[in-house]
Amino acid sequence: MRFLIPFAGLLVAATAPVRSQQAAAASPLDRTVTLSLEGVPLKDALDAVARQSGVRIAYSGRVVPLNRPVSVELAAVRVEAALDALLHGTGVASTLDGTGQILLVTDRSVGRARQQTGSIAGTVRDSTTGAPVVDAMVTLVGTALTAKTGADGRFTITGVPAGSYRIRVRMLGYTAALVGVTVQDGEQAVADVQLARSAIELNPVVAIGYGAADRRNLTGAVSSVSAEQFETKAAPTVTLSSGLQGKVAGVQVTSNSGMPGVGIQVRVRGTGSITANTEPLYVIDGLPAEQGSNDTDPKNNPLMSVDPNEIESIDILKDASATAIYGARGANGVVLITTKRGRTGTSQFTVESSVGFQNIAKTIPVLNAPQFMQLSNEAYLNAGGAPASVPFSAAQIGSAVTYNYPAMMLRTGLQTNQAVSLSGGDQKLRYLISGNFTRQQGIEIGSDFNRYSVRLNLDGDASSRFRWGSSLSMTRVARNAARVENGSLGNSANGIQAAMQFAPFQAPKDSAGNWIKTSPSTEPVPNPIANALEETDLNTTSRLLGSVFGELALSPSLKLKGTLGGNFQFDGIHYFAPRTILDGGNSGSGWMYTSQGRNLTSENTITYARPLGPGNLDLLGGFSVQTWYDESVTATAAGFPTDFTNVYNLGSGSQLYPPASGVSEHALISYLGRANYNVADKYLFTLTGRRDGSSVFGANHKWGFFPSGAFAWRVGDEQFMRGQSLFSDLKLRLSYGTVGNQAVNPYQSLSQLSVGWVASGATEIPAMTLSSRMPNPDLHWEQKTEFNAGLDGAVLDNRVAFSLDIYRSKTKDLLLLMNVPVTTGYSQQLQNVGSIQNNGVELSLTTTNISRPDLNWRSTLTLSHNGNKVLDLGTRPDTSGKPVPITQFTVTPRTGNFFDAGDVYLVRVGEPLGAIYGYQVTGLWQKGDTGAACYLTNKADCTPGEYKVADLNGDGKITAADRTILGNSQPKFYGGFSNTVTYGRFSLDALFNFVYGNKVINAGNAYGCLDIMQANERTCVLDHWDSTHTNTMVPRPNRDRARALYSTFVEDGSYLRLQTLTLGYDLPPGLLFGGAVAARVYVTGQNLVTITGYSGFDPDVNSQGGDPRYGLIDIGAYPRSRVWNFGVRATF
Amino acid sequence: MRYQPSLTPLVLAVGLSLAACSDLLVENPKGFTTTDTFFKTGADLNSGTLAIYSAARGFQGQSNWTTPELASDQTRADNREPNAGTYGPDRLSWSAASGRATVPFGTHYAVITEANLVLAKGPGIQTSDTLTKAYNLAEAKFLRGYAYLRLTKMYDGVPLLLTPEEQANPSPTRATVEAVHQAVIKDLIEAKAGLPAVWSGDDGYGNPTQGRVTKGAAEMALADLYLWRSSFMGKNEWQLASDWADSVIASGLWSLNDDYIKTFLPSNKGNSEEILVITNSGVVDRTSNIFQLFYYPRDWGLDAGQGGGWGLIHPTNWFLNSYLPGDYRGSRGFEGYKTDSAYVAGGCGLTICADTLGDGPMPYKYRKSDNGATWWLGDVDVPLYRHAEALLIYAEAQNELGNTGVAVQYLNMIRARARKGTGAQARTEPHDYGTAGEAMDKLSVRDAIFMERAWEFAFEAKRWFDLVRRDSEEPGYWKNSLIAHDPSFDQTPPNPKPLPDEYKKRWPIPQAQIDANPALCQNPGYGGTPCPPGVTVP
């Protein structure tokens, strides 16, 4: 039996169950008890001893300080020893009276006993490598005395009364060790400890929002990623969110492209919304810092400005029970980021430095000059052009020189990371100061990513009742992205796609050394080399994120905590196109954008814990106010006397554009509460509720309430499980609840008037015009209801640990922009209509494959499936005004006019979001074929070599009505497989990612393999149809072919990737330099092998970013690089 | 509770912060106003009135403008134009679900909405400037009436909504053409009564007034309405068309410029020939317009990768060759941007020269003051009604009323001005109609007037409506003209193009609007619910 008092917000460590020791004990004092208590009132501790041992303990409240907090860690010790430990320093001793009852009386011997004390010192080392273990917690069992090891692994505990003790040493990732030691008065006892790496850490502490909990006591679905996964192994992980990829079950991470600092989508348990935001809420050190944004602009991703080295842990709240504490913002999941903090002990100084280089992982060949010219001629002739006026003469083709634009666009990119941190402190004040600098050159010229940040985290105990802390970080990110990221095709192509389209016979500069501005092809693609080298597109984000808190313990069981936080963000864009390139016109053009935002938070919570009936009750109540303010200003000018001044003298332009500015404000007021009831540590109940009031909603619906409940049953701790040896741990979790999605822009419910303009002569006059959005006073939250069932367990003596979750969620009252008749004066209205469903299974499996002193191999597999389905899209009236369900609507991508028809995505009831909608190609027309439905240009008869498009509605014509769903971008499953092998001082980490069963529009091919030859294309067109080569799916060259989305350009996006591979070596003491106590060198490779059938650069791509209605599309996105990184990390 | 004393300040603090916070949930936007907070003063009303003009700027947008332009037999799309959305109107390849012919429906209701707002809020506004207030109400009536008139010329009957309350109805039905026209007549007559003949330089709130509507504009719209009713609808209201045109002519406020081209030059804004224009400042892109880019040569613009034209709208060969030799309005220059002709056929753009333009001559009557050096400086005012049209409506009405001689007299005023060339020239062509032995019968004169309208109003988006309305007088005229004049319908073997669909004379109600409001019936030929009698013109 075991007894345990959990306390919200405080760590309650677990101990292994100790059983069947009670029966044989003769004297009550010889009975054993097991206690694991931290900061609980003495009275509660005494009650626990009494209950476990069955003895009665009598005392007077005037003698015994019953409210004194005590912390003990006792495993199966005698009652007498336990009482000694609990009463240490109180001046109270225990004595047994004649009835078998224990009396607590004033100890007359205290004065003598305290006259002299000794101390304990020692070093904690890794049992395998012998390296010092830093930050290990050393506890003198049965006392409140603790210490932490310093950088050299040493610890000292002073003021120890003489006697025999056991010290307990704990460290995450190691098995706790118990060592006996005897202390003599006035002497220092030595206790060196070896810690063995533990098989699997089953019970780490996880953040759950407004508190923390032992994982064993969790009732909700929470996934965690620990610091070690973000440290040296992932050093090339410039942005944190890509470091999450594959590591967490149920969390799908997709990047827009391979550009440094690119936008990333994080979807927790599928897509729960159609047009509102689907990104999770990010909470950094307890501060709800930012809702992620569907906007592709990476500056809206708060993770971009957090250095992975600063992270202690990331906990992801997934089910409604876990996220309900964040109420209206919980529907997309919550990512809790905890940064590292200082710990008591000697100060520790860590330096890390790495350098790496990166290259393109895969290239796609394009046509050379003669091939391009030849095919252009054929395309012209096949389109009915006159033979006399073909674009290129035989002489031109014969003398053509090829310029390899893609190669000119690419380079080897260098990257460097530097980080230092200093941490330490004592009980009064603990500190962590860190700084880091990351610089990454992109593999496309003109692109780079720079980040520097500093952090100061402080914690202090002002008294035994009041503790405080602060977190403060400052970050600046600067990205250069001079038209290297491609979001478009044809004339508007950028970066590598433009390079692949540029006429290969044309030198980038003319004979006078001036840039050729556009490609001399039918599609006048702008010169990507000139753009990348000459254009300025500098994006900066500076963020100041800070919070302070104070916590007052009114009693050991009742605490008040107040937190004030601020998140200040400053964004800037410098854009300048000089006259030497197309965008610069004849005399340059540029603009400067600057914005500042602040987000202020005040959160106040009260926690209370007490035994109740058969169990223990923890209560949390809180009140929170959060306000946001954003303003921005843009200045634009053109026609400069010189390009030299760039954007720094916009006033010198001869064309001055009107300045633009804007402001946006909103507020959220919340009441929150959570009750945990723990019965016998086996039956765990959680009730959570939050009531949110948000300014962004309609006057009639400002407030929403989001309740949830959960139950967990620690089956493994039941009596009936003792007989079996398969499961070493087993827990069942069930939860149900409702959370909200409030992500709409402010002011949507108001009847807005904005400035329209009229002219009179050369004068401009502003006029107040109606907005096209119809106001909606009834606008309110999307509401997601989710059921979750989970099973956590471990088998084979903890060598295999698993966590399995199944969930079913339904989001209703979706925020959808609905068309309204223009006769109303408006075109659209944001309404709450429709619903969507997500069902899924998540598995996380951790195994210890080999566990020997010299060789250790552990693996973690995450596997997730999410089935998404649109259930309802609202209604529209029929001719009699009766509402009829809307069954589908099509969606045009942001840069949509390339395809004809442009709406290549479909949202349909019964289908998942992300459906790709286009023409089914069944083959190519061959000679002798007949049929009216030829191809989309509506030629009268069929031409061999053209696409044979399925006439799905059978009307004999190929029209937009013949389009069908060509695939879906949601994967059937995805996940990751990570391995850690340690052999002596070597360690090897390998992370594989995989995605299976999703479809991607390869729009790069839809241009580059369409064989229209309006600009350069990829070498796939060499396989085109002709009368002697008919067994192909590449049509004949034809300049007039409609640029529609054919099924040939929808590809399987499945892949298996060796995402990172890290080899590390811990230097032996003899090799340590400069006074270092530990040092590690490592080499990391990233994106080393990708197994995929996808023909573009990389299947992990989403050129158009975040909008959940969109399928995945690859518009010749910035290619992913292969990275090699070399680093060293030393601790002093 | 044991800790009550300590809790008291906490409860107080939370309570106080709650009291302070509840206002946080009320939105008080700073960057814009709302209909609830606006429309309090005379200046607000004037600003709301200008918003109607702002909405009417949509009339020069690509869909509203180039659809009737390209659909006519007078123009064609550039052969190099790769986008179906652009050449679509030329081939009449629109449907209810797609194409540019559906767009104007919404553009015009935006104008009507702003006008209804002014007419609803205006009467209740207390202001000392009662003169401007009266003008504002009259302006709103004119612009609403004019928008409904234009809608009927494209779509026949449309939902007739005359107040914000009526607009709030989510499922209005289409009114009969007659009902819409009676509302138009009421609006225009009241507007004529309330509008100034000439604006003073200031509208009372510090704004210049060039481009604001006048009595003359209302009279022109009435003349246009009766011309449409008489020809397209066969109503025989020629006398009314004649009277309203005459009242414009007789007012003496309007006249023809000596130089035809000068009428359209930004340097001559507000000239006495322009009765109703959309004004473009050219200051910046919010009140300048891409309008001119439709006509600027692609060779020096888009294809050269620099500022300048899209080269979208070309004259058809038939039209280019139809001018009487020596007509200034058909003159072709080869000096590029320095030309003083109505068409440019080659020469130099800003930096690039092309002896001949790749796809033939381009119209050159709309000239930005920077001659195409940039793409953003759009400062050409877009003509909607000119004095020349008053003369030609009068001529047409008189001819239909049997007064052929009077008709020819007014027709020849247009020709006489054209002979002045750049202003002081004395060209021989176009000679006065009738002086070279032309027939003076009604049909011949009608033919001459329609041809004169084509020449005089070339690229002013009028020809399509002339084809449509004359088709009612002479069935087959629309189709035959398209087949004979427009290469999109060229019937020459061996590859004759598909014939134009007869039903496309009327544009389709947008399918998206029928989806949003199924109570809307559809014009014949486009599918959907047929309309009750009177909604469409048989």
Side-chain angles (χ1 to χ4, degrees), chain A residues 555 582 623 655 658 665 669 671 695 702 747 751 753 757-762 764 768 770 822-823 825 876-877, chain B residues 3 18 25 27 30 32-35 38 47 51 54 57 113-114 167 210 279 283 286-287 305 376 513 515 518:
Chain A
S555 82
L582 179 67
F623 167 66
Q655 282 284 330
E665 292 176 284
I669 301 175
Y671 304 88
S695 65
K702 289 286 187 199
Y747 314 126
S751 170
L753 288 174
W757 290 87
V758 284
S760 182
E764 300 198 286
M768 300 309 288
L770 270 181
V822 290
T823 53
R876 64 162 61 107
Chain B
Y3 300 103
L18 279 185
L25 299 187
E27 292 194 308
K30 295 190 172 92
F32 57 88
T33 54
T34 65
T35 45
F38 201 63
S47 181
S54 183
R57 293 179 58 76
T113 301
E114 301 284 2
Q167 285 193 268
Q210 192 243 305
T279 49
V283 179
R286 61 192 177 199
T287 55
W376 57 81
Q513 293 305 313
D515 290 345

Side-chain angles (χ1 to χ4, degrees), chain A residues 600-905:
Chain A
L600 302 177
T601 307
S602 164
E603 301 205 302
N604 305 285
T605 56
I606 178 166
T607 53
Y608 180 62
R610 61 160 294 178
L612 180 74
N616 289 286
L617 181 68
D618 290 292
L619 295 175
L620 165 79
F623 167 66
S624 151
V625 180
Q626 199 164 2
T627 60
W628 289 261
Y629 175 91
D630 290 285
E631 64 175 41
S632 65
V633 60
T634 309
T636 310
F640 298 101
T642 168
D643 289 335
F644 177 81
T645 51
N646 203 290
V647 292
Y648 305 107
N649 191 358
L650 289 174
S652 70
S654 58
Q655 282 284 330
L656 299 181
Y657 289 81
S661 66
V663 62
S664 167
E665 292 176 284
H666 70 283
L668 186 72
I669 301 175
S670 314
Y671 304 88
L672 56 99
R674 179 167 56 209
N676 285 318
Y677 188 50
N678 178 337
V679 179
D681 205 24
K682 283 192 297 205
Y683 312 105
L684 307 157
F685 301 87
T686 303
L687 282 178
T688 308
R690 181 162 176 143
R691 183 167 152 77
D692 279 320
S694 173
S695 65
V696 301
F697 288 102
N700 306 339
H701 288 279
K702 289 286 187 199
W703 289 90
F705 179 62
F706 306 96
S708 81
F711 166 68
W713 178 25
R714 294 197 47 80
V715 183
D717 292 347
E718 290 289 353
Q719 288 282 352
F720 61 78
M721 291 295 280
R722 289 180 188 168
Q724 57 85 39
S725 56
L726 175 65
F727 288 98
S728 38
D729 190 26
L730 192 64
K731 180 169 78 170
L732 174 70
R733 289 179 280 109
L734 297 171
S735 76
Y736 185 76
T738 299
V739 282
N741 185 358
Q742 63 134 15
V744 295
N745 293 326
Y747 314 126
Q748 299 286 311
S749 63
L750 301 179
S751 170
Q752 301 187 24
L753 288 174
S754 57
V755 173
W757 290 87
V758 284
S760 182
T763 307
E764 300 198 286
I765 309 169
M768 300 309 288
T769 59
L770 270 181
S771 117
S772 63
R773 286 267 177 100
M774 184 183 264
N776 183 355
D778 294 323
L779 200 62
H780 59 278
W781 343 76
E782 291 187 352
Q783 193 170 309
K784 171 176 153 177
T785 303
E786 183 172 11
F787 169 77
N788 187 82
L791 196 63
D792 302 331
V795 294
L796 302 177
D797 202 17
N798 280 359
R799 286 187 65 140
V800 177
F802 64 86
S803 183
L804 177 71
D805 277 279
I806 58 173
Y807 60 87
R808 185 180 187 89
S809 75
K810 180 178 169 181
T811 312
K812 64 171 189 176
D813 295 347
L814 298 178
L815 291 158
L816 280 183
L817 206 49
M818 301 295 282
N819 291 332
V820 295
V822 290
T823 53
T824 60
Y826 300 94
S827 54
Q828 291 182 308
Q829 185 183 38
L830 192 59
Q831 298 176 354
N832 291 97
V833 292
S835 60
I836 195 166
Q837 166 185 293
N838 285 284
N839 296 334
V841 183
E842 297 159 4
L843 173 68
S844 171
L845 193 66
T846 302
T847 59
T848 303
N849 306 317
I850 300 175
S851 178
R852 295 209 300 259
D854 57 337
L855 179 64
N856 200 299
W857 175 22
R858 277 205 279 167
S859 305
T860 299
L861 173 75
T862 68
L863 189 62
S864 313
H865 160 78
N866 183 75
N868 174 272
K869 189 157 95 173
V870 176
L871 299 178
D872 177 20
L873 291 170
T875 60
R876 64 162 61 107
D878 67 5
T879 44
S880 63
K882 204 177 70 178
V884 172
I886 297 171
T887 55
Q888 64 178 46
F889 58 85
T890 58
V891 183
T892 304
R894 255 189 289 283
T895 54
N897 286 329
F898 176 74
F899 292 108
D900 180 26
D903 45 345
V904 297
Y905 307 125

Side-chain angles (χ1 to χ4, degrees), chain A residues 964-976:
Chain A
T964 185
I965 294 178
L966 300 176
N968 191 282
S969 288
Q970 301 216 12
K972 293 191 167 62
F973 63 81
Y974 61 91

